[in-house]
């Protein structure tokens, strides 16, 4: 469909008096007559038309003009009517192959030509209306998808608050873990979208601790074997809380909750997965979570200096942790240090 400033019909003809062609259309139809292909291509360089009528002439290459028009994406569906002389079958075949919508051969019948032209204009406008509706629908789908994604993120933020109510340190811990996840994802070459998704989902890695008793969660000394087994259940509980959600991000969070305590060497829990059996988001979060746990004070230990925590990651690369994730983390070490300086961990026990 044309814009208000565009001609509805562009006529390309070398005849000195094109009045016969212009009278084919109603007086209210904006019409532009040009004498040769260059003028037609210039007129339609950025604008469009409902119909381009090309009258073949020895003075120019009509088929070349049609091919040139079809190369312009915004004219790909514009109706083109070719008027040309020659063998009927061959002329029609060549015209249609070049991209004409319809081909008319002399002798011309004015009423027939006018009817064909009006039908092609109506077709172009109908196609334009369909395209406009498709664009509007696409924008509505994009808007709905954006709203859905924002709702997902809001749900995750609210669940993060639930974790903070159980542990006053959780908020900063989750923020640092997410920042470390972003650093690792960047070091691994993941896309920005992938990194952001994993970072956001990682903030729920310990959501299953909501079901762990305070007497265990905040115990200042070593856990007994039954207490340790109960604490280990948080990975499976977090997964069960989230895994059947229709939300893609919450399902990703479920995967991370289940696998962030697995170890590269297979000695982790709850499934004893090994190497790349562990999903990448879980392997990334494992490095980020353990690093921040080491530098943070807990009721049972003081926080470690950054360099000591770094050495631990290096020592455990290939044992506890995916070597690629450790290497990616260390490649972004300056970013990690800046993150910890901005949101410092409490180092005192």
């Amino acid at each position: 469909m044309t814009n208000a400033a565009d001609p509805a019909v562009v006529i390309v003809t070398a005849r000195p008096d094109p009045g016969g062609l212009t009278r084919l259309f109603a007086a209210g139809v904006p019409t532009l007559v040009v004498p040769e292909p260059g003028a037609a291509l210039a007129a339609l360089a950025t604008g469009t038309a409902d119909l381009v009528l090309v009258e073949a002439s020895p003075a120019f290459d009509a088929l070349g003009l049609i091919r040139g028009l079809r190369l312009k994406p915004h004219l790909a569906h514009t109706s083109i009517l070719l008027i040309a002389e020659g063998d009927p079958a061959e002329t029609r075949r060549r015209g249609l192959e070049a991209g004409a919508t319809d081909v008319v051969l002399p002798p011309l019948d004015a009423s027939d030509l006018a009817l064909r032209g009006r039908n092609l204009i109506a077709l172009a406008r109908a196609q334009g209306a369909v395209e406009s509706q498709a664009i509007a629908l696409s924008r509505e789908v994009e808007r709905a998808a954006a709203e859905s994604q924002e709702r997902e993120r809001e749900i995750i933020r609210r669940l993060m608050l639930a974790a903070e109510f159980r542990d006053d340190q959780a908020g900063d811990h989750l923020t640092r873990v997410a920042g470390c996840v972003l650093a690792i994802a960047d070091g691994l070459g993941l896309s920005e979208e992938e990194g952001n998704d994993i970072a956001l989902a990682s903030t729920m890695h310990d959501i299953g601790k909501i079901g762990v008793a305070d007497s265990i969660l905040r115990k200042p000394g070593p856990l007994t074997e039954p207490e340790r087994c109960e604490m280990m259940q948080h990975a499976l509980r977090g997964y069960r809380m989230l895994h059947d959600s229709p939300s893609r991000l919450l399902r990703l969070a479920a995967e991370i909750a289940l696998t962030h305590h697995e170890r590269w060497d297979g000695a982790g829990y709850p499934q004893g997965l090994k190497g790349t059996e562990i999903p990448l988001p879980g392997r990334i979060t494992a490095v980020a979570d353990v690093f921040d746990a080491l530098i943070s004070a807990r009721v049972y230990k003081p926080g470690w200096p950054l360099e000591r925590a770094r050495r631990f990651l290096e020592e455990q690369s290939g044992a506890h942790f995916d070597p690629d994730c450790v290497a990616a983390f260390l490649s972004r070490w300056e970013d990690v240090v800046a993150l910890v300086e901005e949101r410092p961990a409490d180092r005192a026990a």
Side-chain angles (χ1 to χ4, degrees):
M1 183 177 295
T2 60
N3 296 317
D6 294 330
V9 179
V10 174
I11 299 175
V12 187
T13 178
R15 67 170 68 184
D17 178 16
L21 292 177
T22 60
R23 285 193 295 271
L24 292 172
F25 307 101
V29 177
T31 302
L32 173 66
V33 180
V34 294
E36 46 84 27
L41 290 169
L44 295 169
T46 56
T48 185
D50 292 326
L51 172 65
V52 179
L53 190 154
V54 180
E55 185 175 35
S57 165
F60 62 80
D61 180 5
L63 298 182
L65 169 60
I66 294 172
R67 293 189 190 97
L69 293 173
R70 289 304 188 207
L71 290 175
K72 297 181 179 296
H74 68 287
L75 300 177
H77 303 295
T78 295
S79 294
I80 300 177
L81 178 60
L82 171 65
I83 301 174
E85 296 182 350
D87 176 76
E90 179 65 12
T91 300
R92 172 172 287 275
R93 181 187 66 79
R94 293 179 64 196
L96 296 177
E97 285 181 350
T101 311
D102 197 3
V103 179
V104 177
L105 286 84
L108 301 180
D109 181 292
S111 60
D112 176 66
L113 192 58
L115 178 60
R116 288 172 184 257
R118 286 195 297 269
N119 286 343
L120 289 174
I121 290 173
L123 175 63
R125 291 178 175 176
Q127 288 177 330
V130 170
E131 290 175 0
S132 295
Q133 290 176 346
I135 292 171
L137 179 60
S138 175
R139 288 173 178 168
E140 181 64 22
V141 169
E142 289 176 358
R143 184 191 63 79
E147 289 182 354
S148 177
Q149 290 176 355
E150 183 53 35
R151 283 195 295 271
E152 286 184 316
R153 284 166 170 74
E154 178 62 17
I155 289 170
I156 292 174
R157 285 191 288 267
R158 295 294 173 180
L159 289 172
M160 284 174 59
L161 285 174
E164 289 186 55
F165 285 136
R166 293 298 312 279
D167 183 354
D168 291 339
Q169 301 299 316
D172 284 342
H173 168 63
L174 297 178
T175 299
R176 289 191 300 271
V177 167
C180 290
V181 165
L182 283 174
I184 297 169
D186 183 56
L188 289 172
L190 301 187
S191 69
E192 182 179 357
E193 181 180 4
E194 288 179 297
N196 288 337
D197 284 350
I198 297 172
L200 183 60
S202 75
T203 61
M204 303 180 66
H205 65 277
D206 276 342
I207 193 67
K209 286 184 177 179
I210 289 176
V212 178
D214 284 351
S215 59
I216 297 175
L217 195 61
R218 301 184 180 184
K219 185 175 180 179
L223 299 179
T224 65
E225 185 60 22
E227 289 172 337
R228 190 178 68 84
C229 290
E230 173 63 17
M231 176 68 84
M232 290 169 62
Q233 291 300 310
H234 81 275
L236 189 56
R237 286 172 181 160
Y239 172 77
R240 288 173 175 167
M241 289 171 61
L242 305 171
H243 79 98
D244 56 354
S245 169
S247 162
R248 177 185 58 84
L249 279 173
L250 290 180
R251 293 195 302 273
L252 176 59
E255 180 181 75
I256 291 173
L258 182 65
T259 61
H260 72 286
H261 282 296
E262 300 289 354
R263 290 174 50 116
W264 185 256
D265 59 11
Y269 68 89
Q271 297 172 287
L273 301 180
K274 184 176 182 180
T276 56
E277 294 175 348
I278 309 166
L280 180 59
R283 304 195 315 260
I284 291 173
T285 304
V287 174
D289 181 39
V290 170
F291 173 77
D292 195 73
L294 291 175
I295 67 172
S296 301
R298 295 290 185 261
V299 292
Y300 51 86
K301 74 168 188 69
W304 288 12
L306 295 184
E307 288 300 327
R308 182 184 176 190
R310 173 180 174 139
R311 287 195 301 273
F312 179 84
L313 295 184
E314 292 172 330
E315 292 165 0
Q316 290 296 313
S317 177
H320 190 147
F321 307 114
D322 177 350
D324 289 340
C325 291
V326 173
F329 181 80
L330 298 180
S331 74
R332 300 297 186 271
W333 180 249
E334 291 183 1
D335 296 335
V336 173
V337 172
L339 169 67
V340 174
E341 290 176 348
E342 181 181 347
R343 301 293 293 266
D346 186 356
R347 305 295 174 79

